[in-house]
Amino acid sequence: MIGKLNHVAIAVPDLVAASAMYRDAMGADVSSPQDVPEHGVTVVFINLPNTKIELLHPLGENSPIAGFLAKNPAGGVHHICFEVSDILAARDQLVAKGLRVLGDGNPKIGAHGKPVLFLHPKDMLGTLTEIEQV
Ligand code: CO
């Protein structure tokens, strides 16, 4: 059921410094910052040959990553995202295996315009895990 690693999202306190580190020290292909107001974040995409890193910075009030950065002021891995071909079938299989889906259990449209769900980090080895239908 699980497919490709779509992205790893890292919350960062300073997008400029984080972008410069990946671009200048790591030699990565780094996008310019993109505001995603409906998700309360500004995102920088780091395009790797096999996946992406997404640097997330809070945008506006009530950003979903503000609390995470308050607890992790230096930043840190916020979530990982796997691709699935059928998100409802994936959800039903995961729930049948005892994993908890956050929210009301129904997919929402994620930052890439595709349906996503998040799994409870306590059920996923301490890692907030997103699944995205591609
Ligand atoms: Co994500």
Side-chain angles (χ1 to χ4, degrees):
M1 177 259 285
I2 193 173
K4 288 183 181 173
L5 177 66
N6 184 273
H7 61 272
V8 175
I10 303 177
V12 301
D14 183 337
L15 261 187
V16 173
S19 298
M21 189 277 287
Y22 267 98
R23 185 180 54 244
D24 301 336
M26 302 287 274
D29 171 13
V30 177
S31 80
S32 53
Q34 297 174 25
D35 290 344
V36 190
E38 59 273 30
H39 289 282
V41 291
T42 303
V43 185
V44 166
F45 295 97
I46 299 167
N47 297 302
L48 304 179
N50 60 340
T51 191
K52 295 185 293 288
I53 307 287
E54 295 183 5
L55 304 178
L56 305 179
H57 187 73
L59 175 67
E61 292 173 22
N62 307 318
S63 171
I65 62 165
F68 181 90
L69 272 178
K71 280 185 234 154
N72 303 276
V77 173
H78 183 264
H79 66 269
I80 61 177
C81 177
F82 298 112
E83 298 179 357
V84 296
S85 57
D86 181 335
I87 199 164
L88 294 177
R91 175 197 64 188
D92 292 346
Q93 176 176 330
L94 293 162
V95 169
K97 296 291 184 186
L99 302 186
R100 288 169 286 178
V101 173
L102 299 186
D104 65 6
N106 292 310
K108 295 195 168 42
I109 298 304
H112 310 124
K114 294 175 176 161
V116 303
L117 285 171
F118 284 90
L119 303 175
H120 199 296
K122 287 193 173 151
D123 299 337
M124 290 298 294
L125 312 176
T127 306
L128 179 62
T129 302
E130 180 179 21
I131 58 173
E132 178 175 289
Q133 180 170 297
V134 295

